[in-house]
Amino acid sequence: MEIKRPSDSLTVMNEMVFPNDTNTLNNLMGGRLLQWMDIAAAMSAQKHAKTTCVTAAVDNVSFNHPIKLGQVVTLQAKCVRSFNTSMEVHIEVWSQDLTKGDKVRSNEAYYTFVAIDGDGKAVKVPHVEPLSDEERILYDNALIRRQMKLLMSNKITLDKAPELRSQFEQWVKEA
């Protein structure tokens, strides 16, 4: 099976915040942003897998900075790790006031997708090969997040998650 780089699945999407996208404070509604993030992440997953992909999980959505009416939202998504039939997509959200030019990193999240065929059956996906230090960190942390999800859903025990256990041990030492 083919090996791909995170840059192969890079998807950049832009949206402008209109009044019907906002709450009573003229901030972008979180649900609308999650919809845009899911679309951008799905496109990235499908670029990677070259087949239909469905959202399996959304992890760690951070709303760090409000996005205002009239601002442009730029979503950047890329597949950072793949497993057998699933893949993790990291997405960053930037907001920009075009009249001022300032760009602010507003949000980020991790989405998990499963690749499926025309019959809805899960299919294998290409391996991800990280190149940069940043890509390596995202790649390594994706495994820890996956092990945490499997542990929390009682699909594995901690002894079957050595990377996660090592992370726990490191946190204990630092505490």
Side-chain angles (χ1 to χ4, degrees), residues 33-52:
L33 179 59
L34 289 171
Q35 176 188 20
W36 292 344
M37 292 169 76
D38 192 43
I39 292 167
M43 286 191 282
S44 177
Q46 289 180 186
K47 273 185 183 181
H48 179 78
K50 293 194 176 170
T51 190
T52 301

Side-chain angles (χ1 to χ4, degrees), residues 9-169:
S9 63
L10 179 64
T11 299
V12 179
M13 188 171 108
N14 290 295
E15 297 285 344
M16 180 165 271
V17 180
F18 289 106
N20 65 326
D21 300 319
T22 63
N23 60 25
T24 56
L25 300 172
N26 283 330
N27 292 331
L28 177 63
M29 289 184 288
R32 177 78 73 201
L33 179 59
L34 289 171
Q35 176 188 20
W36 292 344
M37 292 169 76
D38 192 43
I39 292 167
M43 286 191 282
S44 177
Q46 289 180 186
K47 273 185 183 181
H48 179 78
K50 293 194 176 170
T51 190
T52 301
C53 296
V54 294
T55 309
V58 180
D59 294 355
N60 192 31
V61 179
S62 302
F63 294 92
N64 300 320
H65 189 272
I67 300 172
K68 296 291 192 184
L69 174 66
Q71 291 186 329
V72 171
V73 178
T74 301
L75 304 105
Q76 295 178 322
K78 62 184 174 184
C79 182
V80 296
R81 186 158 187 159
S82 59
F83 299 96
N84 187 29
T85 60
S86 67
M87 65 216 93
E88 182 176 275
V89 174
H90 177 241
I91 184 162
E92 292 181 297
V93 178
W94 300 82
S95 59
Q96 184 175 22
D97 181 333
L98 295 179
T99 62
K100 297 178 184 170
D102 57 336
K103 198 172 183 181
V104 176
R105 187 168 177 263
S106 302
N107 307 76
E108 77 172 316
Y110 299 94
Y111 280 63
T112 302
F113 286 86
V114 174
I116 59 171
D117 64 15
D119 295 323
K121 303 245 188 271
V123 295
K124 290 186 182 282
V125 296
H127 177 70
V128 173
E129 184 68 37
L131 293 177
S132 69
D133 289 341
E134 178 188 353
E135 289 174 353
R136 172 64 60 193
I137 290 168
L138 288 168
Y139 180 88
D140 291 343
N141 288 341
L143 178 59
I144 293 170
R145 276 188 294 280
R146 182 174 194 260
Q147 290 175 349
M148 179 67 88
K149 281 185 279 195
L150 292 171
L151 181 69
M152 291 174 64
S153 64
N154 291 320
K155 292 182 180 172
I156 63 169
T157 56
L158 195 54
D159 62 307
K160 301 286 186 201
E163 294 82 3
L164 179 60
R165 191 168 78 223
S166 175
Q167 187 67 52
F168 281 149
E169 290 167 358

